[in-house]
Amino acid sequence: MTEFATRVDAFFDEYFAREPTDATGAGNHAYDGLWPDLAAAARPDRLAFIDRWRATFETFADDALDVDERVDRDLLLGVLASYRFNEVELREDAWSPMAWVYLVGQGFFSLIAREFAPLADRLGSIASRAERLPPLLDAASEALVGHAGRPVDRFHTETALDQWPGLIGVVDEAMVAGETAAADGDEAVSPATIASST
């Protein structure tokens, strides 16, 4: 394995630990019960992560990489630039409640949509994320104050309020599926099993 490939692996290990919902969506299930730390107090750490990895990948000159690695380097630098733009300039988290609805929806739906693990395991992860939802909502409440002259968007707020009950309904439906399976005699999804997974 080349030095570049080693650094890419290390980057994704750290990225997925920081972005559990992205990890789930990408098929990395080590963090299925967690949310990203999006508190304002964690922003300097997020920016430090971006800048550190941008500097790391920028050290790989073209002549040190093969064609595929150069493409991967440029893609990763683009991702990091986008990540930083969102943290500093766009700040969608500060004016769009829908950004938070999308995050919560992704966090739950990605555990339901694909049968990548037994239902009991996925329900355990859903329950874990549900229990850890209050700090994420606290971060949303702290962040949603507008940014750089852009107030919280009214249309996004109304849409988020309309969609929130359906979003929580997805979790309720998953729990009903678990209860149904348990009632059918599948001990793997009994309430005790679900509780022990959280």
Side-chain angles (χ1 to χ4, degrees):
M1 179 178 290
T2 66
E3 174 62 20
F4 177 75
T6 299
R7 302 311 297 157
V8 169
D9 285 348
F11 166 76
F12 278 111
D13 285 345
E14 186 175 355
Y15 178 81
F16 285 142
R18 289 172 170 273
E19 301 290 343
T21 55
D22 286 353
T24 301
N28 181 328
H29 299 291
Y31 311 102
D32 281 353
L34 305 176
W35 297 104
D37 182 1
L38 296 179
R43 177 164 284 107
D45 183 61
R46 294 195 296 272
L47 291 172
F49 162 80
I50 294 166
D51 293 342
R52 175 166 44 83
W53 280 106
R54 181 178 62 185
T56 296
F57 291 127
E58 284 176 344
T59 65
F60 289 93
D62 285 355
D63 59 5
L65 304 173
D66 64 28
V67 173
D68 290 338
E69 288 176 332
R70 288 198 294 272
V71 170
D72 289 343
R73 178 204 57 196
D74 292 347
L75 284 172
L76 288 167
L77 287 171
V79 167
L80 289 165
S82 176
Y83 196 175
R84 195 175 215 292
F85 176 77
N86 189 55
E87 285 285 348
V88 176
E89 301 293 337
L90 182 61
R91 287 297 311 279
E92 197 172 15
D93 63 311
W95 56 265
S96 174
M98 284 304 299
W100 295 92
V101 168
Y102 288 142
L103 173 64
V104 175
Q106 175 191 3
F108 286 128
F109 188 73
S110 61
L111 295 169
I112 299 168
R114 293 183 294 110
E115 296 182 6
F116 58 83
L119 180 59
D121 294 344
R122 291 182 287 127
L123 287 176
S125 296
I126 290 169
S128 179
R129 279 189 176 161
E131 289 178 350
R132 290 171 168 81
L133 194 56
L136 184 71
L137 298 181
D138 288 344
S141 179
E142 179 184 27
L144 284 167
V145 294
H147 176 68
R150 181 165 192 171
V152 176
D153 188 89
R154 179 174 179 175
F155 176 74
H156 284 211
T157 301
E158 292 172 348
T159 304
L161 290 172
D162 286 343
Q163 291 190 4
W164 185 256
L167 178 61
I168 299 305
V170 169
V171 179
D172 293 338
E173 290 172 9
M175 293 305 177
V176 169
E179 292 170 358
T180 300
D184 290 342
D186 186 351
E187 295 181 359
V189 291
S190 67
T193 300
I194 296 170
S196 68
S197 300
T198 62

